Amino acid sequence: MMCELVVASIDRRLPMVRVGEVVVPEGRVMNRQEVQVPDGGSFPVQMTIQDLAEGPNLAILRLSRSDPLELDNVFYFTIEARTQGSTAVFSDDPRDGQIVSLLLDPALATPTASSSQDTQVPSDRGGGKKEDSDAVVVLPRPAVESYARLSAFDLSRISNAVLYNPRTIPSEEAERWLEWVRVGGGLLIVLGPALPDPATQAENGLLQLIPGEVKRQTRRASDDRSIFLNPLFDNHAIWSIFDRPIQEIPWGSYPIFRHWDLEKLPPNAAEIARLTGSEMPGRFERFEVQGRIVVMTFPYPEPEAT
């Protein structure tokens, strides 16, 4: 059985019921996948969409042919597409920062990447018209910055930021970043060995940005492969970098040898993944008004300097 994903620009007059039938905007099939649902079971489906028109889009997930239970043959939802904003990666070691940039923008690794400061991708924002088929959208490359520039950095230049293996920041600087998140910024904090012992650094402003209480850093021997990531939300956007469903990823093959223990997560913090064995948070997020803060409790990639 085939499952199709159809996307159309929003028509505020639709959907509507006309002569007993649901009328929806005309769309185009963006993805199609064969599914084999076992009797009485379920089948995970992961579909990707590219070149959406900016703004709200109507999406329809449907079976290519009806089955006896028509109620769930079609599912309607909306997707809001926005222009990708600029991203800054802060790291004390420029090599680590470049690796994080590669994770955010794999096109940096292509042979021609060094000749341009931006990534160009095809655009179909003209609704599929011929004259728009060769248009491109220029996506700004992630900028790598040192923590020495953190306080002087103009946050209005970026929409997203990564604090990789951070140390300490002043409380007033943490408040500036928190306000930036509240008006729509996206902040990823990757905790690593550079973070001082929280018991001796209670004045560290970085702790104001991290939901919950950072307790201690746990290390394991190189032959202890018992701790690895256990995803809790299969459909979270953070997993979109993988080209296959995360249920198929052998997480046990990627053990974690050191991580920070966090406790007392606030009610508005949601765990994305836990660490097996310890059941400590591995990745979690907290929404702050219009933005969000995502925290990784272990360093990935491993820092060059430990």
Side-chain angles (χ1 to χ4, degrees):
M1 181 181 299
M2 298 298 295
C3 182
E4 297 178 336
L5 180 60
V6 180
V7 177
S9 298
I10 291 290
D11 183 340
R12 299 193 180 280
R13 299 168 300 174
L14 304 175
M16 63 180 296
V17 177
R18 181 183 299 158
V19 194
E21 294 186 357
V22 178
V23 180
V24 299
E26 291 187 9
R28 55 188 177 128
V29 177
M30 303 289 287
N31 206 320
R32 183 181 287 112
Q33 189 175 136
E34 183 177 0
V35 297
Q36 297 178 350
V37 182
D39 293 338
S42 61
F43 185 87
V45 176
Q46 179 173 324
M47 293 186 173
T48 58
I49 310 176
Q50 295 180 342
D51 306 333
L52 286 178
E54 187 170 353
N57 294 264
L58 173 66
I60 306 170
L61 187 64
R62 69 189 183 192
L63 298 180
S64 58
R65 59 181 175 82
S66 299
D67 65 4
L69 183 60
E70 296 185 358
L71 181 65
D72 60 355
N73 286 347
V74 180
F75 179 73
Y76 301 95
F77 58 100
T78 57
I79 302 173
E80 183 174 2
R82 301 179 181 178
T83 302
Q84 180 175 320
S86 300
T87 299
V89 178
F90 289 86
S91 172
D92 276 334
D93 191 316
R95 293 170 297 180
D96 293 333
Q98 289 295 337
I99 293 175
V100 175
S101 294
L102 285 172
L103 293 174
L104 297 174
D105 185 2
L108 285 169
T110 61
T112 59
S114 59
S115 62
S116 173
Q117 295 299 312
D118 300 301
T119 300
Q120 295 185 340
V121 297
S123 171
D124 192 19
R125 292 182 180 174
K129 297 179 181 178
K130 176 64 177 177
E131 58 267 25
D132 295 317
S133 61
D134 295 328
V136 296
V137 178
V138 179
L139 304 181
R141 292 279 175 84
V144 179
E145 305 283 352
S146 69
Y147 280 108
R149 299 195 64 243
L150 190 71
S151 297
F153 191 84
D154 182 5
L155 295 180
S156 66
R157 294 169 44 196
I158 58 174
S159 300
N160 309 283
V162 180
L163 301 183
Y164 177 79
N165 196 21
R167 298 179 182 274
T168 62
I169 61 176
S171 295
E172 58 272 17
E173 180 63 16
E175 186 59 35
R176 184 174 79 101
W177 278 83
L178 189 56
E179 286 301 317
W180 170 78
V181 171
R182 287 170 176 163
V183 296
L187 178 61
L188 171 61
I189 302 175
V190 183
L191 299 179
L195 181 67
D197 183 355
T200 62
Q201 297 285 330
E203 70 282 2
N204 187 355
L206 182 67
L207 302 179
Q208 299 173 217
L209 299 174
I210 302 174
E213 296 183 8
V214 183
K215 290 296 186 181
R216 68 196 69 82
Q217 185 178 192
T218 298
R219 290 175 174 265
R220 288 177 173 78
S222 59
D223 59 348
D224 184 351
R225 306 174 64 87
S226 62
I227 302 298
F228 50 89
L229 208 58
N230 177 31
L232 300 180
F233 293 134
D234 295 351
N235 60 348
H236 194 279
I238 202 169
W239 309 122
S240 62
I241 62 172
F242 299 108
D243 59 359
R244 55 175 170 167
I246 62 170
Q247 301 95 329
E248 299 179 6
I249 297 176
W251 296 104
S253 300
Y254 306 99
I256 297 171
F257 299 105
R258 57 180 169 182
H259 61 83
W260 284 92
D261 295 342
L262 273 82
E263 301 176 357
K264 300 181 180 179
L265 292 183
N268 64 341
E271 289 184 78
I272 303 171
R274 289 179 182 167
L275 303 175
T276 58
S278 68
E279 294 303 317
M280 289 288 180
R283 293 180 179 178
F284 61 96
E285 67 182 346
R286 180 177 69 180
F287 287 92
E288 289 284 351
V289 192
Q290 299 181 51
R292 78 172 78 183
I293 298 175
V294 178
V295 179
M296 290 178 56
T297 62
F298 59 95
Y300 183 84
E302 285 284 335
E304 287 281 354
T306 59

